[in-house]
Amino acid sequence: MTDQGGDGRLVLRLRYTKLGKLRWLSHRDLARVLERALRRARLPVAYSAGFSPHPLLSFGLALPTGCESTAEYLDVRLEPTPGLLEAGPALPDLVRRELGPALPQGVAVLAAAVLEGSSRSLQQIVTACEWQLLAPGADPAALRRRAAELLDAESVPVARQRRGALVEEDLRPGLLALRVEDPQADPEPSGPQVVAELATGVPGARPDGLARALGIPGALVRRTHQWTNVEGSRREPLDAVPPALVPEGAAR
């Protein structure tokens, strides 16, 4: 296996979940959970130099506290130990097997891949996220009418707390797509589901603000996709099905 990080180290991208009660963990707390899991799995994570070394981990976009996700990302820089080098193309599956038992319930690695070439930050390449908002008891027809109103509006002001002050932001510039799906035919009806695509980097484009604008502030929110636009191609940073090797910043 060749040098993937430019410094003799390997860069492994992980796609993982954050489900159930763990959705109430902050981004920083979840980072600590993952760091501990990597240590428990005895993976040769590379560390920075200097007086206070830290693991070389690069996290994707922070997930708002209280939201679930099936599309979280983490880039891990690994030292090229003999065991890793001998694994070759099987390295991603090897890491998944070793890491799985060390993770708490609600966090599972869905895919892993070695990155080719120098990798850009996940936060730099993701341009939009897809969200599911589950609204038990809501009227699908009323939700569709409200969704159409939001899409037709020139501005959708939403209020939020920022640094202790109430500020108003415009959701509409970041609202790229919005649709309402009927409840699934489950033994226990789950209610209508809103599927939205929100741009990153737009202050008002937050799923909690969208839920309030739709009139479903208590909806269960889940991130399902993070989209990149690399050389005009719309892709996810990593498919849910684990490829062995992917180009930097792209899926298979």
Side-chain angles (χ1 to χ4, degrees):
M1 186 173 294
T2 59
D3 169 13
Q4 307 295 335
D7 57 2
R9 293 162 172 165
L10 307 175
V11 181
L12 190 72
R13 176 161 294 170
L14 305 177
R15 175 174 176 164
Y16 62 95
T17 67
K18 184 184 180 184
L19 301 172
K21 294 180 179 179
L22 285 189
R23 71 182 185 273
W24 298 112
L25 278 185
S26 69
H27 182 70
R28 181 171 296 180
D29 288 338
L30 183 62
R32 294 193 186 101
V33 167
L34 291 168
E35 288 177 17
R36 287 196 294 268
L38 289 164
R39 288 198 298 269
R40 287 195 202 101
R42 298 184 179 180
L43 294 173
V45 177
Y47 277 73
S48 63
F51 181 75
S52 180
H54 60 272
L56 296 178
L57 308 178
S58 178
F59 288 86
L61 297 171
L63 182 71
T65 303
C67 295
E68 293 188 333
S69 179
T70 57
E72 295 307 287
Y73 293 96
L74 169 65
D75 288 350
V76 184
R77 196 170 291 268
L78 300 172
E79 297 289 359
T81 62
L84 292 188
L85 294 175
E86 291 170 4
L91 173 61
D93 286 337
L94 172 65
V95 170
R96 288 182 65 192
R97 288 197 304 270
E98 295 295 325
L99 190 55
L103 292 169
Q105 185 176 2
V107 179
V109 178
L110 301 180
V114 176
L115 299 185
E116 288 182 319
S118 60
S119 59
R120 286 186 293 163
S121 164
L122 285 161
Q123 298 188 27
Q124 292 177 322
I125 63 174
V126 174
T127 59
C129 295
E130 187 169 298
W131 303 87
Q132 291 179 348
L133 290 77
L134 185 62
D139 178 12
L143 264 182
R144 286 193 179 91
R145 289 193 296 271
R146 181 56 180 158
E149 291 172 358
L150 296 185
L151 290 173
D152 289 339
E154 293 184 1
S155 175
V156 180
V158 291
R160 60 172 294 207
Q161 288 283 340
R162 176 181 287 180
R163 297 178 182 177
L166 193 64
V167 298
E168 191 174 87
E169 297 173 333
D170 189 3
L171 168 70
R172 188 62 189 90
L175 182 58
L176 304 179
L178 185 62
R179 70 179 189 272
V180 178
E181 299 178 348
D182 289 326
Q184 301 297 313
D186 296 329
E188 297 181 5
S190 56
Q193 178 177 270
V194 177
V195 179
E197 185 174 332
L198 301 177
T200 61
V202 179
R206 292 170 54 90
D208 56 342
L210 174 61
R212 292 195 301 273
L214 288 167
I216 49 172
L220 174 64
V221 180
R222 178 179 295 175
R223 178 153 62 189
T224 56
H225 300 282
Q226 295 192 42
W227 297 109
T228 71
N229 193 333
V230 180
E231 298 179 352
S233 179
R234 175 183 162 92
R235 301 176 180 175
E236 289 194 82
L238 195 61
D239 289 337
V241 177
L245 190 67
V246 296
E248 175 262 322
R252 281 186 305 176

